[in-house]
Amino acid sequence: MRLPVSATGLFLLACLLYYVVPMVRVKWRFVWMGALVTTVGWLLLSQGFALYIRYFAQRITSYKTIGTFIVTIIWLNLSAYILMLGGVVNAASQEWHLGPSEETAIVKQLRKTRRSMKKKPTKKTVGF
């Protein structure tokens, strides 16, 4: 029961992440593709590292702490790549079907603020 529950929870969490986090309007019908890629990739990565720990990491008796730290950092790095890959799949599929995405109001406001900050300041003299 562990694998189906983990896969379902991870899939729902990835769907929520890919719907809420992007700063463009995302359609629900395109979110599931990237979430599925992320779920499968993350489960495969976790199973691969579990096999590595089971068979290869136990034989190394010296430097166990630093070895565990390095393997954890590698796992986190690969997990981040998988999360980004799922986001790219979502963005590419939505852009393929619907064209360029519409920005949210927050992004429009940030662009307006950035443009107003780039304007040249007026010359004002400061009296001494």
PDB file of all heavy atoms in Angstrom, residues 22-49:
ATOM      1  N   PRO A  22       3.053  29.082 -10.615  1.00  0.00           N
ATOM      2  CA  PRO A  22       3.425  29.903 -11.778  1.00  0.00           C
ATOM      3  C   PRO A  22       2.741  31.263 -11.772  1.00  0.00           C
ATOM      4  O   PRO A  22       1.626  31.415 -11.282  1.00  0.00           O
ATOM      5  CB  PRO A  22       2.941  29.074 -12.974  1.00  0.00           C
ATOM      6  CG  PRO A  22       2.819  27.699 -12.479  1.00  0.00           C
ATOM      7  CD  PRO A  22       2.466  27.817 -11.038  1.00  0.00           C
ATOM      8  N   MET A  23       3.429  32.237 -12.333  1.00  0.00           N
ATOM      9  CA  MET A  23       2.897  33.597 -12.374  1.00  0.00           C
ATOM     10  C   MET A  23       2.174  33.868 -13.684  1.00  0.00           C
ATOM     11  O   MET A  23       2.131  34.995 -14.154  1.00  0.00           O
ATOM     12  CB  MET A  23       4.017  34.600 -12.126  1.00  0.00           C
ATOM     13  CG  MET A  23       4.603  34.467 -10.738  1.00  0.00           C
ATOM     14  SD  MET A  23       5.780  35.712 -10.319  1.00  0.00           S
ATOM     15  CE  MET A  23       4.729  37.076  -9.962  1.00  0.00           C
ATOM     16  N   VAL A  24       1.638  32.853 -14.290  1.00  0.00           N
ATOM     17  CA  VAL A  24       0.768  32.971 -15.465  1.00  0.00           C
ATOM     18  C   VAL A  24      -0.499  32.178 -15.174  1.00  0.00           C
ATOM     19  O   VAL A  24      -0.523  31.342 -14.277  1.00  0.00           O
ATOM     20  CB  VAL A  24       1.446  32.437 -16.754  1.00  0.00           C
ATOM     21  CG1 VAL A  24       2.639  33.285 -17.122  1.00  0.00           C
ATOM     22  CG2 VAL A  24       1.841  30.994 -16.616  1.00  0.00           C
ATOM     23  N   ARG A  25      -1.520  32.440 -15.938  1.00  0.00           N
ATOM     24  CA  ARG A  25      -2.766  31.689 -15.760  1.00  0.00           C
ATOM     25  C   ARG A  25      -2.584  30.288 -16.332  1.00  0.00           C
ATOM     26  O   ARG A  25      -2.257  30.125 -17.495  1.00  0.00           O
ATOM     27  CB  ARG A  25      -3.902  32.406 -16.449  1.00  0.00           C
ATOM     28  CG  ARG A  25      -4.150  33.763 -15.851  1.00  0.00           C
ATOM     29  CD  ARG A  25      -5.428  34.360 -16.385  1.00  0.00           C
ATOM     30  NE  ARG A  25      -5.505  35.771 -16.093  1.00  0.00           N
ATOM     31  CZ  ARG A  25      -5.843  36.284 -14.929  1.00  0.00           C
ATOM     32  NH1 ARG A  25      -6.120  35.500 -13.929  1.00  0.00           N
ATOM     33  NH2 ARG A  25      -5.899  37.581 -14.760  1.00  0.00           N
ATOM     34  N   VAL A  26      -2.800  29.288 -15.487  1.00  0.00           N
ATOM     35  CA  VAL A  26      -2.598  27.893 -15.865  1.00  0.00           C
ATOM     36  C   VAL A  26      -3.955  27.200 -15.895  1.00  0.00           C
ATOM     37  O   VAL A  26      -4.773  27.385 -14.992  1.00  0.00           O
ATOM     38  CB  VAL A  26      -1.654  27.183 -14.869  1.00  0.00           C
ATOM     39  CG1 VAL A  26      -1.438  25.746 -15.256  1.00  0.00           C
ATOM     40  CG2 VAL A  26      -0.337  27.917 -14.775  1.00  0.00           C
ATOM     41  N   LYS A  27      -4.185  26.409 -16.910  1.00  0.00           N
ATOM     42  CA  LYS A  27      -5.421  25.639 -17.017  1.00  0.00           C
ATOM     43  C   LYS A  27      -5.227  24.288 -16.339  1.00  0.00           C
ATOM     44  O   LYS A  27      -4.171  23.668 -16.457  1.00  0.00           O
ATOM     45  CB  LYS A  27      -5.790  25.407 -18.487  1.00  0.00           C
ATOM     46  CG  LYS A  27      -5.899  26.660 -19.305  1.00  0.00           C
ATOM     47  CD  LYS A  27      -7.175  27.373 -19.013  1.00  0.00           C
ATOM     48  CE  LYS A  27      -7.303  28.557 -19.973  1.00  0.00           C
ATOM     49  NZ  LYS A  27      -8.331  29.457 -19.604  1.00  0.00           N
ATOM     50  N   TRP A  28      -6.257  23.817 -15.637  1.00  0.00           N
ATOM     51  CA  TRP A  28      -6.165  22.540 -14.924  1.00  0.00           C
ATOM     52  C   TRP A  28      -5.911  21.376 -15.872  1.00  0.00           C
ATOM     53  O   TRP A  28      -5.265  20.416 -15.513  1.00  0.00           O
ATOM     54  CB  TRP A  28      -7.454  22.261 -14.145  1.00  0.00           C
ATOM     55  CG  TRP A  28      -7.449  22.849 -12.770  1.00  0.00           C
ATOM     56  CD1 TRP A  28      -8.164  23.906 -12.340  1.00  0.00           C
ATOM     57  CD2 TRP A  28      -6.677  22.423 -11.643  1.00  0.00           C
ATOM     58  NE1 TRP A  28      -7.895  24.168 -11.028  1.00  0.00           N
ATOM     59  CE2 TRP A  28      -6.986  23.259 -10.578  1.00  0.00           C
ATOM     60  CE3 TRP A  28      -5.748  21.401 -11.439  1.00  0.00           C
ATOM     61  CZ2 TRP A  28      -6.411  23.122  -9.328  1.00  0.00           C
ATOM     62  CZ3 TRP A  28      -5.185  21.268 -10.193  1.00  0.00           C
ATOM     63  CH2 TRP A  28      -5.511  22.115  -9.158  1.00  0.00           C
ATOM     64  N   ARG A  29      -6.407  21.470 -17.091  1.00  0.00           N
ATOM     65  CA  ARG A  29      -6.261  20.335 -17.998  1.00  0.00           C
ATOM     66  C   ARG A  29      -4.825  20.126 -18.463  1.00  0.00           C
ATOM     67  O   ARG A  29      -4.497  19.074 -19.006  1.00  0.00           O
ATOM     68  CB  ARG A  29      -7.191  20.477 -19.194  1.00  0.00           C
ATOM     69  CG  ARG A  29      -6.870  21.645 -20.075  1.00  0.00           C
ATOM     70  CD  ARG A  29      -7.838  21.705 -21.218  1.00  0.00           C
ATOM     71  NE  ARG A  29      -7.450  22.798 -22.092  1.00  0.00           N
ATOM     72  CZ  ARG A  29      -8.266  23.402 -22.898  1.00  0.00           C
ATOM     73  NH1 ARG A  29      -9.525  23.042 -22.944  1.00  0.00           N
ATOM     74  NH2 ARG A  29      -7.842  24.372 -23.657  1.00  0.00           N
ATOM     75  N   PHE A  30      -3.946  21.109 -18.262  1.00  0.00           N
ATOM     76  CA  PHE A  30      -2.542  20.951 -18.641  1.00  0.00           C
ATOM     77  C   PHE A  30      -1.639  20.669 -17.448  1.00  0.00           C
ATOM     78  O   PHE A  30      -0.473  20.354 -17.620  1.00  0.00           O
ATOM     79  CB  PHE A  30      -2.057  22.198 -19.380  1.00  0.00           C
ATOM     80  CG  PHE A  30      -2.800  22.466 -20.638  1.00  0.00           C
ATOM     81  CD1 PHE A  30      -3.629  23.556 -20.747  1.00  0.00           C
ATOM     82  CD2 PHE A  30      -2.700  21.603 -21.710  1.00  0.00           C
ATOM     83  CE1 PHE A  30      -4.339  23.799 -21.901  1.00  0.00           C
ATOM     84  CE2 PHE A  30      -3.404  21.828 -22.874  1.00  0.00           C
ATOM     85  CZ  PHE A  30      -4.226  22.929 -22.973  1.00  0.00           C
ATOM     86  N   VAL A  31      -2.150  20.817 -16.243  1.00  0.00           N
ATOM     87  CA  VAL A  31      -1.342  20.632 -15.033  1.00  0.00           C
ATOM     88  C   VAL A  31      -1.010  19.165 -14.804  1.00  0.00           C
ATOM     89  O   VAL A  31       0.088  18.834 -14.347  1.00  0.00           O
ATOM     90  CB  VAL A  31      -2.087  21.239 -13.820  1.00  0.00           C
ATOM     91  CG1 VAL A  31      -1.444  20.837 -12.520  1.00  0.00           C
ATOM     92  CG2 VAL A  31      -2.141  22.743 -13.935  1.00  0.00           C
ATOM     93  N   TRP A  32      -1.905  18.271 -15.139  1.00  0.00           N
ATOM     94  CA  TRP A  32      -1.716  16.859 -14.800  1.00  0.00           C
ATOM     95  C   TRP A  32      -0.539  16.234 -15.538  1.00  0.00           C
ATOM     96  O   TRP A  32       0.083  15.300 -15.044  1.00  0.00           O
ATOM     97  CB  TRP A  32      -2.998  16.069 -15.039  1.00  0.00           C
ATOM     98  CG  TRP A  32      -3.355  15.883 -16.483  1.00  0.00           C
ATOM     99  CD1 TRP A  32      -4.116  16.696 -17.236  1.00  0.00           C
ATOM    100  CD2 TRP A  32      -2.928  14.829 -17.330  1.00  0.00           C
ATOM    101  NE1 TRP A  32      -4.192  16.224 -18.511  1.00  0.00           N
ATOM    102  CE2 TRP A  32      -3.475  15.070 -18.595  1.00  0.00           C
ATOM    103  CE3 TRP A  32      -2.140  13.699 -17.147  1.00  0.00           C
ATOM    104  CZ2 TRP A  32      -3.254  14.233 -19.672  1.00  0.00           C
ATOM    105  CZ3 TRP A  32      -1.929  12.853 -18.226  1.00  0.00           C
ATOM    106  CH2 TRP A  32      -2.477  13.128 -19.463  1.00  0.00           C
ATOM    107  N   MET A  33      -0.201  16.729 -16.745  1.00  0.00           N
ATOM    108  CA  MET A  33       0.900  16.122 -17.506  1.00  0.00           C
ATOM    109  C   MET A  33       2.238  16.290 -16.790  1.00  0.00           C
ATOM    110  O   MET A  33       2.987  15.337 -16.621  1.00  0.00           O
ATOM    111  CB  MET A  33       0.960  16.737 -18.903  1.00  0.00           C
ATOM    112  CG  MET A  33      -0.198  16.365 -19.776  1.00  0.00           C
ATOM    113  SD  MET A  33      -0.048  17.134 -21.383  1.00  0.00           S
ATOM    114  CE  MET A  33      -1.508  18.140 -21.377  1.00  0.00           C
ATOM    115  N   GLY A  34       2.526  17.510 -16.381  1.00  0.00           N
ATOM    116  CA  GLY A  34       3.766  17.755 -15.657  1.00  0.00           C
ATOM    117  C   GLY A  34       3.784  17.095 -14.293  1.00  0.00           C
ATOM    118  O   GLY A  34       4.817  16.626 -13.822  1.00  0.00           O
ATOM    119  N   ALA A  35       2.608  17.042 -13.649  1.00  0.00           N
ATOM    120  CA  ALA A  35       2.522  16.381 -12.348  1.00  0.00           C
ATOM    121  C   ALA A  35       2.779  14.889 -12.485  1.00  0.00           C
ATOM    122  O   ALA A  35       3.432  14.278 -11.630  1.00  0.00           O
ATOM    123  CB  ALA A  35       1.156  16.626 -11.720  1.00  0.00           C
ATOM    124  N   LEU A  36       2.310  14.295 -13.572  1.00  0.00           N
ATOM    125  CA  LEU A  36       2.565  12.869 -13.814  1.00  0.00           C
ATOM    126  C   LEU A  36       4.055  12.619 -14.072  1.00  0.00           C
ATOM    127  O   LEU A  36       4.632  11.669 -13.531  1.00  0.00           O
ATOM    128  CB  LEU A  36       1.728  12.375 -14.989  1.00  0.00           C
ATOM    129  CG  LEU A  36       1.805  10.889 -15.286  1.00  0.00           C
ATOM    130  CD1 LEU A  36       1.220  10.097 -14.123  1.00  0.00           C
ATOM    131  CD2 LEU A  36       1.066  10.573 -16.568  1.00  0.00           C
ATOM    132  N   VAL A  37       4.683  13.480 -14.867  1.00  0.00           N
ATOM    133  CA  VAL A  37       6.124  13.352 -15.119  1.00  0.00           C
ATOM    134  C   VAL A  37       6.900  13.483 -13.819  1.00  0.00           C
ATOM    135  O   VAL A  37       7.823  12.703 -13.545  1.00  0.00           O
ATOM    136  CB  VAL A  37       6.591  14.411 -16.149  1.00  0.00           C
ATOM    137  CG1 VAL A  37       8.100  14.502 -16.216  1.00  0.00           C
ATOM    138  CG2 VAL A  37       6.016  14.109 -17.521  1.00  0.00           C
ATOM    139  N   THR A  38       6.521  14.447 -13.000  1.00  0.00           N
ATOM    140  CA  THR A  38       7.198  14.651 -11.719  1.00  0.00           C
ATOM    141  C   THR A  38       7.008  13.460 -10.790  1.00  0.00           C
ATOM    142  O   THR A  38       7.957  13.002 -10.152  1.00  0.00           O
ATOM    143  CB  THR A  38       6.665  15.930 -11.046  1.00  0.00           C
ATOM    144  OG1 THR A  38       6.929  17.034 -11.904  1.00  0.00           O
ATOM    145  CG2 THR A  38       7.311  16.158  -9.701  1.00  0.00           C
ATOM    146  N   THR A  39       5.793  12.944 -10.715  1.00  0.00           N
ATOM    147  CA  THR A  39       5.510  11.817  -9.825  1.00  0.00           C
ATOM    148  C   THR A  39       6.309  10.585 -10.226  1.00  0.00           C
ATOM    149  O   THR A  39       6.971   9.959  -9.383  1.00  0.00           O
ATOM    150  CB  THR A  39       4.001  11.494  -9.837  1.00  0.00           C
ATOM    151  OG1 THR A  39       3.286  12.656  -9.423  1.00  0.00           O
ATOM    152  CG2 THR A  39       3.685  10.346  -8.919  1.00  0.00           C
ATOM    153  N   VAL A  40       6.267  10.251 -11.508  1.00  0.00           N
ATOM    154  CA  VAL A  40       7.008   9.067 -11.978  1.00  0.00           C
ATOM    155  C   VAL A  40       8.509   9.269 -11.790  1.00  0.00           C
ATOM    156  O   VAL A  40       9.216   8.376 -11.298  1.00  0.00           O
ATOM    157  CB  VAL A  40       6.659   8.765 -13.451  1.00  0.00           C
ATOM    158  CG1 VAL A  40       7.576   7.713 -14.022  1.00  0.00           C
ATOM    159  CG2 VAL A  40       5.216   8.332 -13.569  1.00  0.00           C
ATOM    160  N   GLY A  41       9.009  10.436 -12.149  1.00  0.00           N
ATOM    161  CA  GLY A  41      10.439  10.702 -11.999  1.00  0.00           C
ATOM    162  C   GLY A  41      10.894  10.653 -10.557  1.00  0.00           C
ATOM    163  O   GLY A  41      11.946  10.085 -10.243  1.00  0.00           O
ATOM    164  N   TRP A  42      10.116  11.240  -9.674  1.00  0.00           N
ATOM    165  CA  TRP A  42      10.507  11.272  -8.269  1.00  0.00           C
ATOM    166  C   TRP A  42      10.450   9.877  -7.641  1.00  0.00           C
ATOM    167  O   TRP A  42      11.316   9.522  -6.846  1.00  0.00           O
ATOM    168  CB  TRP A  42       9.604  12.214  -7.504  1.00  0.00           C
ATOM    169  CG  TRP A  42      10.314  12.942  -6.386  1.00  0.00           C
ATOM    170  CD1 TRP A  42      11.517  12.635  -5.852  1.00  0.00           C
ATOM    171  CD2 TRP A  42       9.845  14.082  -5.693  1.00  0.00           C
ATOM    172  NE1 TRP A  42      11.827  13.518  -4.860  1.00  0.00           N
ATOM    173  CE2 TRP A  42      10.823  14.418  -4.747  1.00  0.00           C
ATOM    174  CE3 TRP A  42       8.705  14.843  -5.776  1.00  0.00           C
ATOM    175  CZ2 TRP A  42      10.675  15.489  -3.881  1.00  0.00           C
ATOM    176  CZ3 TRP A  42       8.580  15.911  -4.914  1.00  0.00           C
ATOM    177  CH2 TRP A  42       9.545  16.233  -3.994  1.00  0.00           C
ATOM    178  N   LEU A  43       9.443   9.101  -7.992  1.00  0.00           N
ATOM    179  CA  LEU A  43       9.373   7.736  -7.456  1.00  0.00           C
ATOM    180  C   LEU A  43      10.521   6.874  -7.975  1.00  0.00           C
ATOM    181  O   LEU A  43      11.111   6.090  -7.222  1.00  0.00           O
ATOM    182  CB  LEU A  43       8.026   7.104  -7.780  1.00  0.00           C
ATOM    183  CG  LEU A  43       6.827   7.685  -7.037  1.00  0.00           C
ATOM    184  CD1 LEU A  43       5.538   7.076  -7.541  1.00  0.00           C
ATOM    185  CD2 LEU A  43       6.969   7.497  -5.539  1.00  0.00           C
ATOM    186  N   LEU A  44      10.851   7.007  -9.263  1.00  0.00           N
ATOM    187  CA  LEU A  44      11.994   6.257  -9.807  1.00  0.00           C
ATOM    188  C   LEU A  44      13.303   6.689  -9.157  1.00  0.00           C
ATOM    189  O   LEU A  44      14.154   5.849  -8.840  1.00  0.00           O
ATOM    190  CB  LEU A  44      12.069   6.432 -11.326  1.00  0.00           C
ATOM    191  CG  LEU A  44      10.998   5.713 -12.138  1.00  0.00           C
ATOM    192  CD1 LEU A  44      11.116   6.096 -13.608  1.00  0.00           C
ATOM    193  CD2 LEU A  44      11.108   4.217 -11.955  1.00  0.00           C
ATOM    194  N   LEU A  45      13.468   7.995  -8.980  1.00  0.00           N
ATOM    195  CA  LEU A  45      14.687   8.499  -8.328  1.00  0.00           C
ATOM    196  C   LEU A  45      14.797   7.978  -6.897  1.00  0.00           C
ATOM    197  O   LEU A  45      15.867   7.531  -6.469  1.00  0.00           O
ATOM    198  CB  LEU A  45      14.684  10.024  -8.330  1.00  0.00           C
ATOM    199  CG  LEU A  45      15.871  10.703  -7.679  1.00  0.00           C
ATOM    200  CD1 LEU A  45      17.131  10.490  -8.506  1.00  0.00           C
ATOM    201  CD2 LEU A  45      15.599  12.179  -7.496  1.00  0.00           C
ATOM    202  N   SER A  46      13.710   7.998  -6.179  1.00  0.00           N
ATOM    203  CA  SER A  46      13.738   7.512  -4.790  1.00  0.00           C
ATOM    204  C   SER A  46      14.023   6.018  -4.728  1.00  0.00           C
ATOM    205  O   SER A  46      14.794   5.565  -3.865  1.00  0.00           O
ATOM    206  CB  SER A  46      12.402   7.813  -4.111  1.00  0.00           C
ATOM    207  OG  SER A  46      12.213   9.202  -4.011  1.00  0.00           O
ATOM    208  N   GLN A  47      13.436   5.243  -5.635  1.00  0.00           N
ATOM    209  CA  GLN A  47      13.708   3.804  -5.665  1.00  0.00           C
ATOM    210  C   GLN A  47      15.171   3.536  -6.034  1.00  0.00           C
ATOM    211  O   GLN A  47      15.802   2.639  -5.475  1.00  0.00           O
ATOM    212  CB  GLN A  47      12.780   3.102  -6.652  1.00  0.00           C
ATOM    213  CG  GLN A  47      11.330   3.084  -6.218  1.00  0.00           C
ATOM    214  CD  GLN A  47      11.142   2.338  -4.921  1.00  0.00           C
ATOM    215  OE1 GLN A  47      11.726   1.288  -4.677  1.00  0.00           O
ATOM    216  NE2 GLN A  47      10.310   2.905  -4.047  1.00  0.00           N
ATOM    217  N   GLY A  48      15.696   4.310  -6.975  1.00  0.00           N
ATOM    218  CA  GLY A  48      17.107   4.147  -7.358  1.00  0.00           C
ATOM    219  C   GLY A  48      18.060   4.451  -6.212  1.00  0.00           C
ATOM    220  O   GLY A  48      19.015   3.704  -5.968  1.00  0.00           O
ATOM    221  N   PHE A  49      17.795   5.522  -5.474  1.00  0.00           N
ATOM    222  CA  PHE A  49      18.651   5.836  -4.337  1.00  0.00           C
ATOM    223  C   PHE A  49      18.459   4.854  -3.190  1.00  0.00           C
ATOM    224  O   PHE A  49      19.405   4.579  -2.446  1.00  0.00           O
ATOM    225  CB  PHE A  49      18.439   7.277  -3.876  1.00  0.00           C
ATOM    226  CG  PHE A  49      19.329   8.245  -4.603  1.00  0.00           C
ATOM    227  CD1 PHE A  49      18.879   8.915  -5.716  1.00  0.00           C
ATOM    228  CD2 PHE A  49      20.623   8.446  -4.201  1.00  0.00           C
ATOM    229  CE1 PHE A  49      19.693   9.786  -6.399  1.00  0.00           C
ATOM    230  CE2 PHE A  49      21.456   9.317  -4.872  1.00  0.00           C
ATOM    231  CZ  PHE A  49      20.983   9.988  -5.981  1.00  0.00           C
TER     232      PHE A  49
END
